[in-house]
Amino acid sequence: MTGRLFAIVGPSGAGKDTLIQGALAARPDLHVIRRVITRPTDAGGEDFEGVTAAEFAERQAAGEFALDWQAHGLRYGIPAAALAPLANGADLLFNGSRQGLERAALLWPGLSVIHVTAPPQVLTARLKARGRESAQDIAARVARAAQPWPEGLPAGVSVITVMNDASPETGIARFLTALQPVSA
């Protein structure tokens, strides 16, 4: 039995972490892969393993990551060992990046992508509220949200967009719908 793998992508401030946590509360059968990131663990946001750039490089060289990428001046890694539950039929989610999607789709042909997004004014307000970025960084993140998707996604990779522009409950309901198996 093989589980499904979902890459959850979208701009900063779209509410990916909120929707993932809401989905976990509603569906305890889901598993979220804990990313390794080159930022301090106490920086807030999702549950991640914070490491130094040197530690990340060592682990990367040792082959510990099934997938890694760079965005916003940080390195992100998906530990290879975290994928083991797929073999037992578990559905796994990972908070990904558009920059890593082409490689992820080649590694995992059955990959499903859920693109969580919101209008620019909503993204800006959420980023200001979390207080981690400067006004310049916020503007850059919102501008990046408007950039086109990678053109190299292989055929068969499904991309579902979830508009997260309303209440958390509405966003979670939309996200849970996107996680449903595709009916034939």
Side-chain angles (χ1 to χ4, degrees), residues 7-149:
I8 314 304
V9 301
S12 297
K16 297 180 297 290
D17 294 329
T18 298
L19 300 188
I20 290 169
Q21 291 308 310
L24 286 174
R27 290 210 27 214
D29 62 301
L30 294 172
H31 299 268
V32 176
I33 295 173
R34 189 170 180 243
R35 300 190 296 181
V36 177
I37 306 174
T38 56
R39 75 173 172 219
T41 304
D42 62 2
E46 70 182 278
D47 178 25
F48 67 95
E49 180 184 351
V51 297
T52 66
E55 290 169 326
F56 190 96
E58 287 174 20
R59 291 173 68 175
Q60 182 184 34
E64 287 187 32
F65 300 125
L67 178 69
D68 63 88
W69 65 93
Q70 185 169 345
H72 310 296
L74 301 170
R75 299 297 317 256
Y76 298 81
I78 301 298
L83 298 169
L86 281 173
N88 296 323
D91 285 346
L92 296 180
L93 313 176
F94 72 90
N95 191 336
S97 170
R98 289 186 294 181
Q99 292 172 322
L101 279 182
E102 289 179 54
R103 194 158 139 239
L106 292 173
L107 289 170
W108 306 299
L111 180 71
S112 294
V113 178
I114 298 179
H115 175 225
V116 177
T117 192
Q121 65 274 18
V122 173
L123 297 175
T124 300
R126 288 177 180 164
L127 290 171
K128 284 180 181 177
R130 79 180 184 184
R132 286 197 320 231
E133 296 91 0
S134 68
Q136 183 178 6
D137 289 339
I138 290 171
R141 286 178 183 254
V142 172
R144 184 176 177 272
Q147 292 176 350
W149 275 75

